[in-house]
Amino acid sequence: MIVSKILVYKVSGITDGLLLFSLDAVREVRKYSVKELGTDAKIQPNMFDHLHMKLFRAQRNLYISGFAVFLWLVMKRVITLINQLASVSGTTAALQVQADNANQAARKYMEDNELLKQALMEGEADKATAQGMELLRKEVEKLKDELKTSGGALKKSQSEADVMKKQMEGLAREYDRLLKEHQVLQNLHDGGNKKDE
């Protein structure tokens, strides 16, 4: 619990820092983009070059900080998707084990039911075992009820497993889409760096 709070503060601190750098870069670009500062260029010839140099640096810082904020947001989203995928995978495994156990129990009850039916058919000729047959009938009814309960639990767990699989597939598609989008943006950024050189 404490570790997660520390991570939240660190993440918010990084986000705040990146946003602060971006806002400072926007302020610098606006500061050096003003046309009135260039009117004194006739008085000081190097001032015009100096202003353009500062404007270039401010624009460069704006692009770098903006791209860093964008990458930070993409990384946060990817990490969130990976965490959700891991939790869904764990839940799916638990539901699968539960469904297998319910299926095994249902098979056992069905086999017991068949054995009881055979015992009832063989025992009808004997009137002395009427009490035993009554007990067996009660046991059959009890097993039928348990079978219905187990069947319902099996259907419920299978439907939950299907829902979890659909969620996991959706998360995987979203992750792939974000990964492709990140690659395209990375290629665009790398292409922009090559043009600048």
Side-chain angles (χ1 to χ4, degrees):
M1 188 71 173
I2 294 172
V3 173
S4 64
K5 287 183 180 180
I6 291 172
L7 289 175
V8 167
Y9 289 129
K10 285 185 178 182
V11 167
S12 66
I14 291 171
T15 306
D16 293 345
L18 288 173
L19 288 175
L20 180 69
F21 290 141
S22 296
L23 291 175
D24 183 52
V26 168
R27 184 188 61 82
E28 288 290 318
V29 167
R30 295 182 95 195
K31 176 179 167 183
Y32 292 115
S33 293
V34 176
K35 293 181 181 179
E36 295 171 4
L37 292 176
T39 57
D40 294 337
K42 295 176 185 175
I43 298 171
Q44 298 176 349
N46 289 337
M47 185 176 163
F48 186 72
D49 292 337
H50 185 71
L51 286 176
H52 277 286
M53 179 186 67
K54 291 221 180 221
L55 178 62
F56 171 76
R57 287 182 182 167
Q59 288 173 340
R60 179 200 61 195
N61 291 342
L62 176 65
Y63 290 132
I64 290 171
S65 62
F67 192 68
V69 168
F70 174 73
L71 284 181
W72 177 253
L73 293 175
V74 168
M75 285 179 11
K76 267 181 67 175
R77 180 65 178 149
V78 167
I79 289 170
T80 302
L81 289 174
I82 289 172
N83 287 338
Q84 288 176 352
L85 185 64
S87 67
V88 166
S89 296
T91 305
T92 302
L95 287 174
Q96 187 64 36
V97 168
Q98 183 182 3
D100 290 342
N101 290 340
N103 195 12
Q104 288 174 356
R107 284 188 187 138
K108 178 186 164 252
Y109 290 142
M110 289 177 74
E111 290 171 1
D112 289 347
N113 190 15
E114 289 299 321
L115 290 174
L116 287 174
K117 280 183 181 179
Q118 288 176 357
L120 280 175
M121 292 298 183
E122 292 171 358
E124 283 183 21
D126 260 346
K127 293 189 178 187
T129 59
Q131 291 177 350
M133 288 185 357
E134 186 63 35
L135 290 174
L136 288 176
R137 284 190 183 113
K138 289 179 182 178
E139 184 70 23
V140 166
E141 292 299 321
K142 179 182 168 187
L143 290 175
K144 283 182 181 178
D145 291 341
E146 289 179 6
L147 180 63
K148 287 179 184 178
T149 305
S150 298
L154 176 63
K155 287 181 183 178
K156 181 180 177 186
S157 62
Q158 284 176 344
S159 66
E160 288 176 359
D162 290 340
V163 167
M164 290 295 170
K165 284 180 183 178
K166 288 179 183 177
Q167 286 179 349
M168 186 173 68
E169 290 169 358
L171 287 174
R173 283 194 303 271
E174 179 69 14
Y175 176 74
D176 290 340
R177 185 189 67 77
L178 284 174
L179 194 61
K180 287 177 185 175
E181 185 177 317
H182 174 68
Q183 185 64 36
V184 167
L185 290 173
Q186 188 70 30
N187 290 340
L188 286 174
H189 178 67
D190 291 344
N193 284 342
K194 288 180 183 176
K195 287 181 184 176
D196 289 343
E197 292 174 2

